[in-house]
Each structure stands twice: as C-alpha cells, then as structure tokens.
Amino acid sequence: GENVEQHPSTLSVQEGDSAVIKCTYSDSASNYFPWYKQELGKGPQLIIDIRSNVGEKKDQRIAVTLNKTAKHFSLHITETQPEDSAVYFCAAIAQGGKLIFGQGTELSVKP
Amino acid sequence: GAGVSQSPSNKVTEKGKDVELRCDPISGHTALYWYRQSLGQGLEFLIYFQGNSAPDKSGLPSDRFSAERTGGSVSTLTIQRTQQEDSAVYLCASSLDGVTGELFFGEGSRLTVL
C-alpha cells in the first residue's frame, strides 16, 4: 500500500526566512497530493494541494512542487511569519481513495 | 454549525472498558474518515467510508476496533476492552466526494485510558 515519508520532523527558522518540507511516496498511481496545517488543539486544515498533471502550484507565500518521476513533492513557505508556526502534514491518495499522511513537521518561526 | 462535529471532546476511561466516539460529518459529504493521532505523532489512517461501498478497514489496528456509519451520515468508532496504548486523539474527517476533495476535520476526541 501507499507509504508517505516526510522530512524533517522539526524545523526552526527565523521570521522572514524560507521553510521547505519534503515528502516521498511509494505508489506511482497516486495522483493527488495535499498539504495540511494543524494548529495546537485543532484538526488539520488544507492549505494547498497539487494534482499529478502539474509540476508546481503557488498560492501567495506557499508553493508546492511535484516530481512524479522521483515520487517526491515539497512545500515551500517564503517570508515566514510567527503565525506560520504549526505542524504541517503532507499526504498522498492511495488506492481506493483513502488519504495517507506523512509523519508531520513541526515548524517554529522565531520572531 | 456547518463543520464536522465530534463527541465527546475528552474521554477518560479505565483499562478494559468499552468506549464509543461519535462523528457528525458535514451534511451532503459522502466520504468519512477516521484517523488516530498519538502524542506528537502523525495521522494514522484507521477506516474510510465512501457512499454505499464497503468501508476500507485496512487501518484498524486490531479486532477491538470497529466503526459503523448509519444512514450515510453519523459514524461511531467503538473500541472494546481498551488498553493504555489506545490513548490518543481520534480525528474524524469528511469530504464531498472522497476521491480528490478537501478533507474537513473535526477537533477530535481525546481518549485517555488509565
């Protein structure tokens, strides 16, 4: 079945710097890759997603890139702000439609 | 409200007791998911319901875990004979079509087994 690996597990950056989180997946048939942000005490929320027919997608300060050949995708956050501090999860859709998540990255943005 | 609702928000139980966790998805969403999140850990897939299809139970960790979805809406996750390792936050999510749609998560039910 689908396996999603996410790195790093923790990431600390200075406000204004960029942050990059990387994920790999195992099922070459996967065609949908969302990213979720989880703030303390809340459920995860979708922040951006990408489908397999494109290689990059941007939404203001966040962007996601996808390399289907290498089976990896990345989240890029530019000009980080303290409110970006949270746990970020990548995910890939597995056979049958279930969403499999990575282990999460705890991002800390220091003022 | 219009979001996914879970109850109870917190549950403390003794080892060996049965517990039931409830999820009310967003009206009209055909797909419903249960995930488990242990302290500081990722989101572990448990079970997935899509419309009238047979649920995907491949993530249930043991036969002590079961879930049902009545009338295509409310879902109940049942854990029998709870163990301390069952302590975690149980998250429910729903989506409109269950294929490549956004998952909307509830705030979770925190289970503590003493």
Side-chain angles (χ1 to χ4, degrees):
Chain A
E2 177 72 280
N3 184 46
V4 179
E5 298 287 334
Q6 181 173 348
H7 300 279
S9 57
T10 60
L11 179 59
S12 182
V13 300
Q14 288 295 132
E15 182 177 359
D17 288 350
S18 294
V20 180
I21 303 170
K22 298 183 179 182
C23 289
T24 61
Y25 61 97
S26 60
D27 187 353
S28 57
S30 292
N31 58 9
Y32 175 66
F33 308 92
W35 287 86
Y36 283 76
K37 176 183 180 182
Q38 185 178 31
E39 297 178 341
L40 198 60
K42 297 187 176 182
Q45 284 191 306
L46 179 72
I47 55 171
I48 194 167
D49 57 15
I50 190 167
R51 302 181 194 278
S52 59
N53 57 343
V54 298
E56 184 176 4
K57 183 177 178 180
K58 288 185 180 180
D59 182 4
Q60 299 182 353
R61 294 187 298 108
I62 60 174
V64 58
T65 59
L66 171 65
N67 183 327
K68 284 217 72 180
T69 303
K71 290 190 285 187
H72 66 70
F73 56 114
S74 300
L75 177 72
H76 304 252
I77 307 174
T78 59
E79 300 171 26
T80 52
Q81 301 167 4
E83 53 264 39
D84 295 330
S85 296
V87 179
Y88 291 81
F89 292 97
C90 63
I93 200 157
Q95 189 176 15
K98 66 189 180 191
L99 207 56
I100 301 300
F101 286 85
Q103 298 88 340
T105 297
E106 183 174 2
L107 174 64
S108 175
V109 180
K110 300 188 183 305
Chain B
V4 176
S5 178
Q6 292 188 246
S7 61
S9 55
N10 278 285
K11 175 72 176 179
V12 180
T13 190
E14 293 180 346
K15 178 181 172 182
K17 301 282 190 182
D18 298 351
V19 296
E20 285 189 351
L21 307 177
R22 177 187 168 103
C23 174
D24 281 276
I26 293 172
S27 178
H29 280 194
T30 63
L32 187 147
Y33 311 75
W34 284 98
Y35 290 88
R36 179 169 70 176
Q37 186 171 30
S38 302
L39 186 63
Q41 300 299 307
L43 299 169
E44 177 188 4
F45 169 78
L46 296 178
I47 189 168
Y48 163 49
F49 296 88
Q50 172 53 50
N52 295 321
S53 303
D56 181 337
K57 305 179 181 180
S58 59
L60 295 178
S62 76
D63 59 7
R64 296 187 296 104
F65 288 72
S66 63
E68 63 177 21
R69 188 178 186 192
T70 54
S73 181
V74 172
S75 177
T76 302
L77 177 69
T78 301
I79 309 172
Q80 296 178 309
R81 305 182 301 282
T82 52
Q83 304 294 312
Q84 288 184 333
E85 59 263 29
D86 299 335
S87 297
V89 175
Y90 291 82
L91 288 162
C92 175
S94 70
S95 73
L96 189 60
D97 62 14
V99 180
T100 54
E102 178 177 358
L103 267 62
F104 294 84
F105 282 85
E107 296 200 337
S109 292
R110 180 177 297 278
L111 174 66
T112 303
V113 182
L114 301 177

Short mmCIF file of all heavy atoms in Angstrom, two decimals, chain A residues 9-67:
data_model
loop_
_atom_site.label_atom_id
_atom_site.label_comp_id
_atom_site.label_asym_id
_atom_site.label_seq_id
_atom_site.Cartn_x
_atom_site.Cartn_y
_atom_site.Cartn_z
N SER A 9 11.35 16.30 10.75
CA SER A 9 10.29 16.18 11.75
C SER A 9 10.11 17.49 12.50
O SER A 9 9.01 17.80 12.96
CB SER A 9 10.57 15.04 12.72
OG SER A 9 11.83 15.23 13.35
N THR A 10 11.19 18.25 12.65
CA THR A 10 11.11 19.58 13.25
C THR A 10 11.94 20.54 12.41
O THR A 10 12.95 20.15 11.82
CB THR A 10 11.61 19.61 14.71
OG1 THR A 10 12.98 19.20 14.73
CG2 THR A 10 10.80 18.69 15.60
N LEU A 11 11.49 21.79 12.36
CA LEU A 11 12.16 22.81 11.57
C LEU A 11 12.00 24.15 12.28
O LEU A 11 10.89 24.56 12.58
CB LEU A 11 11.55 22.86 10.17
CG LEU A 11 12.10 23.87 9.17
CD1 LEU A 11 13.58 23.65 8.95
CD2 LEU A 11 11.34 23.78 7.86
N SER A 12 13.12 24.82 12.52
CA SER A 12 13.09 26.12 13.17
C SER A 12 13.73 27.14 12.24
O SER A 12 14.85 26.91 11.76
CB SER A 12 13.84 26.06 14.50
OG SER A 12 13.78 27.30 15.17
N VAL A 13 13.02 28.22 11.98
CA VAL A 13 13.54 29.26 11.09
C VAL A 13 13.32 30.62 11.73
O VAL A 13 12.47 30.79 12.62
CB VAL A 13 12.87 29.21 9.70
CG1 VAL A 13 13.13 27.88 9.02
CG2 VAL A 13 11.39 29.51 9.79
N GLN A 14 14.07 31.61 11.26
CA GLN A 14 13.87 32.98 11.69
C GLN A 14 12.77 33.61 10.84
O GLN A 14 12.64 33.31 9.64
CB GLN A 14 15.16 33.80 11.53
CG GLN A 14 16.25 33.47 12.52
CD GLN A 14 15.87 33.81 13.95
OE1 GLN A 14 16.03 33.02 14.87
NE2 GLN A 14 15.35 35.02 14.14
N GLU A 15 12.01 34.48 11.46
CA GLU A 15 10.96 35.20 10.74
C GLU A 15 11.55 35.85 9.49
O GLU A 15 12.61 36.48 9.54
CB GLU A 15 10.35 36.26 11.66
CG GLU A 15 9.21 37.04 11.03
CD GLU A 15 8.60 38.04 11.99
OE1 GLU A 15 9.05 38.11 13.16
OE2 GLU A 15 7.64 38.74 11.58
N GLY A 16 10.86 35.66 8.36
CA GLY A 16 11.31 36.23 7.11
C GLY A 16 12.08 35.25 6.24
O GLY A 16 12.18 35.45 5.02
N ASP A 17 12.62 34.19 6.87
CA ASP A 17 13.32 33.16 6.10
C ASP A 17 12.31 32.24 5.41
O ASP A 17 11.11 32.29 5.68
CB ASP A 17 14.24 32.35 7.01
CG ASP A 17 15.45 33.13 7.44
OD1 ASP A 17 15.69 34.24 6.89
OD2 ASP A 17 16.17 32.65 8.34
N SER A 18 12.84 31.38 4.54
CA SER A 18 12.01 30.38 3.87
C SER A 18 12.07 29.05 4.61
O SER A 18 13.06 28.76 5.31
CB SER A 18 12.49 30.19 2.43
OG SER A 18 12.29 31.36 1.67
N ALA A 19 11.03 28.26 4.45
CA ALA A 19 10.98 26.92 5.03
C ALA A 19 10.61 25.93 3.93
O ALA A 19 9.74 26.22 3.10
CB ALA A 19 9.96 26.86 6.16
N VAL A 20 11.27 24.78 3.94
CA VAL A 20 11.00 23.74 2.95
C VAL A 20 10.78 22.41 3.66
O VAL A 20 11.59 22.01 4.50
CB VAL A 20 12.15 23.59 1.94
CG1 VAL A 20 11.81 22.49 0.92
CG2 VAL A 20 12.43 24.90 1.24
N ILE A 21 9.70 21.74 3.32
CA ILE A 21 9.38 20.42 3.87
C ILE A 21 9.24 19.45 2.70
O ILE A 21 8.61 19.80 1.69
CB ILE A 21 8.07 20.47 4.68
CG1 ILE A 21 8.17 21.50 5.80
CG2 ILE A 21 7.76 19.08 5.26
CD1 ILE A 21 6.85 21.78 6.51
N LYS A 22 9.85 18.28 2.84
CA LYS A 22 9.89 17.34 1.72
C LYS A 22 9.19 16.02 2.05
O LYS A 22 9.27 15.55 3.19
CB LYS A 22 11.34 17.06 1.33
CG LYS A 22 12.08 18.30 0.87
CD LYS A 22 13.49 17.99 0.43
CE LYS A 22 14.17 19.25 -0.06
NZ LYS A 22 15.55 18.99 -0.54
N CYS A 23 8.54 15.46 1.04
CA CYS A 23 7.86 14.17 1.21
C CYS A 23 8.13 13.26 0.03
O CYS A 23 8.30 13.74 -1.10
CB CYS A 23 6.35 14.37 1.36
SG CYS A 23 5.89 15.12 2.93
N THR A 24 8.17 11.97 0.31
CA THR A 24 8.24 10.97 -0.75
C THR A 24 7.07 10.02 -0.59
O THR A 24 6.54 9.84 0.51
CB THR A 24 9.56 10.17 -0.70
OG1 THR A 24 9.64 9.50 0.58
CG2 THR A 24 10.75 11.09 -0.85
N TYR A 25 6.65 9.42 -1.70
CA TYR A 25 5.55 8.47 -1.65
C TYR A 25 5.94 7.23 -2.44
O TYR A 25 6.87 7.24 -3.24
CB TYR A 25 4.25 9.09 -2.18
CG TYR A 25 4.30 9.55 -3.63
CD1 TYR A 25 3.81 8.74 -4.65
CD2 TYR A 25 4.82 10.79 -3.96
CE1 TYR A 25 3.83 9.16 -5.97
CE2 TYR A 25 4.86 11.23 -5.28
CZ TYR A 25 4.37 10.41 -6.28
OH TYR A 25 4.40 10.83 -7.59
N SER A 26 5.20 6.15 -2.21
CA SER A 26 5.62 4.88 -2.80
C SER A 26 4.75 4.42 -3.97
O SER A 26 5.23 3.72 -4.87
CB SER A 26 5.61 3.78 -1.73
OG SER A 26 4.31 3.63 -1.17
N ASP A 27 3.48 4.81 -3.98
CA ASP A 27 2.55 4.32 -5.00
C ASP A 27 2.58 5.22 -6.24
O ASP A 27 2.09 6.35 -6.19
CB ASP A 27 1.14 4.25 -4.41
CG ASP A 27 0.14 3.59 -5.35
OD1 ASP A 27 0.49 3.31 -6.52
OD2 ASP A 27 -1.01 3.37 -4.91
N SER A 28 3.12 4.72 -7.33
CA SER A 28 3.23 5.52 -8.54
C SER A 28 1.87 5.89 -9.14
O SER A 28 1.79 6.78 -9.98
CB SER A 28 4.08 4.78 -9.58
OG SER A 28 3.51 3.52 -9.85
N ALA A 29 0.81 5.23 -8.69
CA ALA A 29 -0.54 5.54 -9.20
C ALA A 29 -1.17 6.73 -8.48
O ALA A 29 -2.20 7.24 -8.91
CB ALA A 29 -1.44 4.32 -9.05
N SER A 30 -0.55 7.18 -7.38
CA SER A 30 -1.11 8.33 -6.65
C SER A 30 -1.12 9.55 -7.54
O SER A 30 -0.18 9.81 -8.29
CB SER A 30 -0.27 8.62 -5.40
OG SER A 30 -0.39 7.58 -4.46
N ASN A 31 -2.23 10.33 -7.48
CA ASN A 31 -2.35 11.47 -8.38
C ASN A 31 -2.83 12.73 -7.68
O ASN A 31 -3.18 13.73 -8.33
CB ASN A 31 -3.30 11.13 -9.54
CG ASN A 31 -4.68 10.74 -9.05
OD1 ASN A 31 -5.00 10.87 -7.86
ND2 ASN A 31 -5.50 10.25 -9.94
N TYR A 32 -2.86 12.72 -6.36
CA TYR A 32 -3.34 13.89 -5.62
C TYR A 32 -2.53 14.02 -4.35
O TYR A 32 -2.40 13.05 -3.60
CB TYR A 32 -4.83 13.73 -5.32
CG TYR A 32 -5.41 14.82 -4.46
CD1 TYR A 32 -5.49 16.13 -4.92
CD2 TYR A 32 -5.89 14.55 -3.19
CE1 TYR A 32 -6.03 17.14 -4.14
CE2 TYR A 32 -6.44 15.55 -2.40
CZ TYR A 32 -6.50 16.84 -2.89
OH TYR A 32 -7.03 17.83 -2.11
N PHE A 33 -1.98 15.24 -4.11
CA PHE A 33 -1.03 15.44 -3.01
C PHE A 33 -1.37 16.73 -2.27
O PHE A 33 -0.95 17.82 -2.67
CB PHE A 33 0.40 15.48 -3.56
CG PHE A 33 0.72 14.31 -4.45
CD1 PHE A 33 0.52 14.38 -5.81
CD2 PHE A 33 1.18 13.12 -3.89
CE1 PHE A 33 0.79 13.29 -6.63
CE2 PHE A 33 1.46 12.03 -4.71
CZ PHE A 33 1.25 12.11 -6.07
N PRO A 34 -2.12 16.63 -1.18
CA PRO A 34 -2.46 17.83 -0.41
C PRO A 34 -1.49 18.06 0.75
O PRO A 34 -0.79 17.15 1.18
CB PRO A 34 -3.85 17.49 0.12
CG PRO A 34 -3.82 16.01 0.30
CD PRO A 34 -2.88 15.45 -0.76
N TRP A 35 -1.50 19.28 1.24
CA TRP A 35 -0.75 19.65 2.44
C TRP A 35 -1.74 20.23 3.46
O TRP A 35 -2.57 21.07 3.10
CB TRP A 35 0.32 20.68 2.13
CG TRP A 35 1.49 20.12 1.39
CD1 TRP A 35 1.62 19.96 0.03
CD2 TRP A 35 2.70 19.64 1.95
NE1 TRP A 35 2.83 19.42 -0.28
CE2 TRP A 35 3.53 19.21 0.88
CE3 TRP A 35 3.20 19.54 3.26
CZ2 TRP A 35 4.80 18.69 1.08
CZ3 TRP A 35 4.47 19.02 3.46
CH2 TRP A 35 5.26 18.60 2.37
N TYR A 36 -1.60 19.79 4.70
CA TYR A 36 -2.47 20.25 5.77
C TYR A 36 -1.65 20.92 6.87
O TYR A 36 -0.52 20.52 7.14
CB TYR A 36 -3.26 19.07 6.36
CG TYR A 36 -4.43 18.63 5.51
CD1 TYR A 36 -4.22 17.88 4.35
CD2 TYR A 36 -5.73 19.00 5.82
CE1 TYR A 36 -5.29 17.50 3.55
CE2 TYR A 36 -6.81 18.62 5.04
CZ TYR A 36 -6.57 17.87 3.90
OH TYR A 36 -7.63 17.50 3.11
N LYS A 37 -2.27 21.91 7.51
CA LYS A 37 -1.65 22.62 8.62
C LYS A 37 -2.48 22.37 9.87
O LYS A 37 -3.71 22.51 9.83
CB LYS A 37 -1.62 24.13 8.33
CG LYS A 37 -1.08 25.01 9.44
CD LYS A 37 -1.17 26.48 9.03
CE LYS A 37 -0.64 27.41 10.12
NZ LYS A 37 -0.78 28.84 9.73
N GLN A 38 -1.83 21.97 10.95
CA GLN A 38 -2.54 21.70 12.20
C GLN A 38 -2.02 22.62 13.29
O GLN A 38 -0.86 22.53 13.68
CB GLN A 38 -2.39 20.24 12.63
CG GLN A 38 -3.23 19.89 13.86
CD GLN A 38 -3.12 18.44 14.25
OE1 GLN A 38 -2.10 17.80 14.04
NE2 GLN A 38 -4.19 17.89 14.83
N GLU A 39 -2.90 23.47 13.79
CA GLU A 39 -2.57 24.32 14.92
C GLU A 39 -2.94 23.60 16.21
O GLU A 39 -3.78 22.68 16.22
CB GLU A 39 -3.27 25.66 14.78
CG GLU A 39 -2.78 26.43 13.54
CD GLU A 39 -3.48 27.75 13.32
OE1 GLU A 39 -4.57 27.95 13.89
OE2 GLU A 39 -2.93 28.58 12.59
N LEU A 40 -2.35 24.02 17.31
CA LEU A 40 -2.49 23.33 18.58
C LEU A 40 -3.95 23.19 18.98
O LEU A 40 -4.71 24.17 18.99
CB LEU A 40 -1.73 24.10 19.66
CG LEU A 40 -1.40 23.33 20.94
CD1 LEU A 40 -0.53 22.12 20.63
CD2 LEU A 40 -0.73 24.24 21.95
N GLY A 41 -4.36 21.97 19.27
CA GLY A 41 -5.71 21.72 19.75
C GLY A 41 -6.79 21.71 18.68
O GLY A 41 -7.97 21.63 19.00
N LYS A 42 -6.37 21.79 17.42
CA LYS A 42 -7.35 21.82 16.33
C LYS A 42 -7.12 20.68 15.35
O LYS A 42 -6.07 20.04 15.36
CB LYS A 42 -7.28 23.16 15.60
CG LYS A 42 -7.63 24.36 16.47
CD LYS A 42 -7.70 25.62 15.64
CE LYS A 42 -8.15 26.80 16.49
NZ LYS A 42 -8.26 28.05 15.69
N GLY A 43 -8.11 20.45 14.51
CA GLY A 43 -7.93 19.48 13.45
C GLY A 43 -7.14 20.08 12.30
O GLY A 43 -7.08 21.30 12.14
N PRO A 44 -6.49 19.25 11.49
CA PRO A 44 -5.73 19.76 10.35
C PRO A 44 -6.63 20.47 9.34
O PRO A 44 -7.80 20.12 9.19
CB PRO A 44 -5.13 18.50 9.73
CG PRO A 44 -5.17 17.47 10.82
CD PRO A 44 -6.39 17.79 11.62
N GLN A 45 -6.06 21.47 8.65
CA GLN A 45 -6.78 22.20 7.61
C GLN A 45 -5.96 22.22 6.34
O GLN A 45 -4.74 22.42 6.38
CB GLN A 45 -7.05 23.64 8.06
CG GLN A 45 -8.18 23.78 9.07
CD GLN A 45 -8.58 25.22 9.27
OE1 GLN A 45 -7.75 26.07 9.56
NE2 GLN A 45 -9.85 25.51 9.09
N LEU A 46 -6.62 22.04 5.22
CA LEU A 46 -5.96 22.07 3.92
C LEU A 46 -5.40 23.47 3.63
O LEU A 46 -6.10 24.47 3.81
CB LEU A 46 -6.95 21.68 2.82
CG LEU A 46 -6.41 21.68 1.39
CD1 LEU A 46 -5.47 20.50 1.19
CD2 LEU A 46 -7.55 21.63 0.38
N ILE A 47 -4.13 23.52 3.21
CA ILE A 47 -3.56 24.81 2.83
C ILE A 47 -3.25 24.90 1.34
O ILE A 47 -3.33 25.97 0.75
CB ILE A 47 -2.30 25.15 3.65
CG1 ILE A 47 -1.24 24.04 3.55
CG2 ILE A 47 -2.67 25.43 5.10
CD1 ILE A 47 0.10 24.43 4.15
N ILE A 48 -2.91 23.80 0.73
CA ILE A 48 -2.63 23.78 -0.70
C ILE A 48 -2.61 22.33 -1.16
O ILE A 48 -2.34 21.42 -0.37
CB ILE A 48 -1.29 24.49 -1.04
CG1 ILE A 48 -1.17 24.78 -2.54
CG2 ILE A 48 -0.10 23.70 -0.53
CD1 ILE A 48 -0.03 25.74 -2.89
N ASP A 49 -2.91 22.10 -2.43
CA ASP A 49 -2.83 20.74 -2.96
C ASP A 49 -2.34 20.81 -4.40
O ASP A 49 -2.35 21.86 -5.04
CB ASP A 49 -4.17 20.01 -2.87
CG ASP A 49 -5.32 20.73 -3.57
OD1 ASP A 49 -5.06 21.65 -4.37
OD2 ASP A 49 -6.49 20.38 -3.31
N ILE A 50 -1.88 19.67 -4.89
CA ILE A 50 -1.40 19.61 -6.26
C ILE A 50 -1.81 18.27 -6.86
O ILE A 50 -1.82 17.24 -6.17
CB ILE A 50 0.14 19.82 -6.34
CG1 ILE A 50 0.59 20.00 -7.78
CG2 ILE A 50 0.89 18.68 -5.66
CD1 ILE A 50 2.02 20.52 -7.91
N ARG A 51 -2.15 18.31 -8.13
CA ARG A 51 -2.53 17.08 -8.83
C ARG A 51 -1.41 16.70 -9.77
O ARG A 51 -0.57 17.52 -10.13
CB ARG A 51 -3.86 17.28 -9.54
CG ARG A 51 -4.95 17.69 -8.57
CD ARG A 51 -6.33 17.89 -9.20
NE ARG A 51 -7.21 18.58 -8.27
CZ ARG A 51 -7.88 17.98 -7.28
NH1 ARG A 51 -7.78 16.68 -7.12
NH2 ARG A 51 -8.66 18.68 -6.47
N SER A 52 -1.43 15.46 -10.21
CA SER A 52 -0.25 14.92 -10.90
C SER A 52 -0.05 15.48 -12.29
O SER A 52 0.98 15.21 -12.91
CB SER A 52 -0.35 13.39 -10.97
OG SER A 52 -1.51 13.00 -11.66
N ASN A 53 -0.99 16.27 -12.79
CA ASN A 53 -0.82 16.80 -14.14
C ASN A 53 -0.07 18.14 -14.16
O ASN A 53 0.11 18.74 -15.22
CB ASN A 53 -2.18 16.95 -14.83
CG ASN A 53 -3.13 17.83 -14.04
OD1 ASN A 53 -2.93 18.08 -12.86
ND2 ASN A 53 -4.18 18.30 -14.70
N VAL A 54 0.35 18.61 -12.98
CA VAL A 54 1.15 19.84 -12.92
C VAL A 54 2.38 19.60 -12.05
O VAL A 54 2.41 18.68 -11.24
CB VAL A 54 0.35 21.03 -12.36
CG1 VAL A 54 -0.82 21.36 -13.25
CG2 VAL A 54 -0.12 20.74 -10.94
N GLY A 55 3.39 20.44 -12.28
CA GLY A 55 4.63 20.26 -11.52
C GLY A 55 4.79 21.24 -10.39
O GLY A 55 5.58 21.00 -9.48
N GLU A 56 4.03 22.36 -10.42
CA GLU A 56 4.18 23.36 -9.38
C GLU A 56 2.87 24.14 -9.25
O GLU A 56 2.16 24.36 -10.23
CB GLU A 56 5.32 24.32 -9.73
CG GLU A 56 5.61 25.35 -8.64
CD GLU A 56 6.81 26.23 -8.96
OE1 GLU A 56 7.39 26.09 -10.05
OE2 GLU A 56 7.17 27.06 -8.10
N LYS A 57 2.61 24.57 -8.03
CA LYS A 57 1.43 25.39 -7.77
C LYS A 57 1.77 26.38 -6.68
O LYS A 57 2.43 26.03 -5.70
CB LYS A 57 0.25 24.49 -7.35
CG LYS A 57 -1.06 25.23 -7.12
CD LYS A 57 -2.16 24.23 -6.77
CE LYS A 57 -3.48 24.91 -6.50
NZ LYS A 57 -4.53 23.90 -6.16
N LYS A 58 1.32 27.64 -6.85
CA LYS A 58 1.63 28.68 -5.87
C LYS A 58 0.34 29.33 -5.37
O LYS A 58 -0.63 29.46 -6.11
CB LYS A 58 2.50 29.76 -6.49
CG LYS A 58 3.93 29.36 -6.75
CD LYS A 58 4.75 30.55 -7.27
CE LYS A 58 6.18 30.15 -7.53
NZ LYS A 58 6.99 31.28 -8.02
N ASP A 59 0.38 29.72 -4.10
CA ASP A 59 -0.72 30.48 -3.52
C ASP A 59 -0.11 31.45 -2.53
O ASP A 59 0.20 31.10 -1.40
CB ASP A 59 -1.72 29.55 -2.85
CG ASP A 59 -2.92 30.30 -2.27
OD1 ASP A 59 -3.01 31.53 -2.47
OD2 ASP A 59 -3.78 29.65 -1.63
N GLN A 60 0.11 32.67 -2.96
CA GLN A 60 0.73 33.71 -2.15
C GLN A 60 2.11 33.25 -1.66
O GLN A 60 2.99 33.03 -2.48
CB GLN A 60 -0.21 34.11 -1.01
CG GLN A 60 -1.53 34.67 -1.53
CD GLN A 60 -2.47 35.13 -0.43
OE1 GLN A 60 -2.24 34.96 0.76
NE2 GLN A 60 -3.57 35.76 -0.83
N ARG A 61 2.27 33.07 -0.35
CA ARG A 61 3.60 32.75 0.18
C ARG A 61 3.90 31.25 0.18
O ARG A 61 4.99 30.83 0.58
CB ARG A 61 3.74 33.29 1.60
CG ARG A 61 3.73 34.81 1.70
CD ARG A 61 4.03 35.26 3.12
NE ARG A 61 3.04 34.80 4.08
CZ ARG A 61 3.24 33.85 4.98
NH1 ARG A 61 4.43 33.24 5.06
NH2 ARG A 61 2.29 33.50 5.84
N ILE A 62 2.96 30.44 -0.20
CA ILE A 62 3.21 28.99 -0.19
C ILE A 62 3.19 28.44 -1.61
O ILE A 62 2.48 28.93 -2.48
CB ILE A 62 2.21 28.23 0.70
CG1 ILE A 62 0.77 28.45 0.22
CG2 ILE A 62 2.35 28.64 2.15
CD1 ILE A 62 -0.24 27.59 0.98
N ALA A 63 4.01 27.42 -1.81
CA ALA A 63 4.08 26.76 -3.12
C ALA A 63 4.36 25.28 -2.88
O ALA A 63 4.94 24.89 -1.86
CB ALA A 63 5.19 27.37 -3.97
N VAL A 64 3.92 24.49 -3.81
CA VAL A 64 4.19 23.05 -3.75
C VAL A 64 4.75 22.62 -5.10
O VAL A 64 4.30 23.10 -6.15
CB VAL A 64 2.93 22.25 -3.37
CG1 VAL A 64 1.81 22.49 -4.35
CG2 VAL A 64 3.23 20.77 -3.26
N THR A 65 5.76 21.77 -5.07
CA THR A 65 6.34 21.21 -6.28
C THR A 65 6.19 19.71 -6.26
O THR A 65 6.18 19.09 -5.19
CB THR A 65 7.82 21.58 -6.42
OG1 THR A 65 8.54 21.08 -5.27
CG2 THR A 65 8.01 23.08 -6.49
N LEU A 66 6.06 19.12 -7.42
CA LEU A 66 5.86 17.67 -7.54
C LEU A 66 6.79 17.12 -8.61
O LEU A 66 6.84 17.64 -9.73
CB LEU A 66 4.41 17.37 -7.91
CG LEU A 66 4.06 15.93 -8.30
CD1 LEU A 66 4.26 14.99 -7.11
CD2 LEU A 66 2.63 15.85 -8.82
N ASN A 67 7.51 16.06 -8.27
CA ASN A 67 8.34 15.34 -9.22
C ASN A 67 7.82 13.91 -9.27
O ASN A 67 8.12 13.09 -8.40
CB ASN A 67 9.80 15.37 -8.77
CG ASN A 67 10.74 14.69 -9.77
OD1 ASN A 67 10.37 13.73 -10.44
ND2 ASN A 67 11.95 15.19 -9.86
#
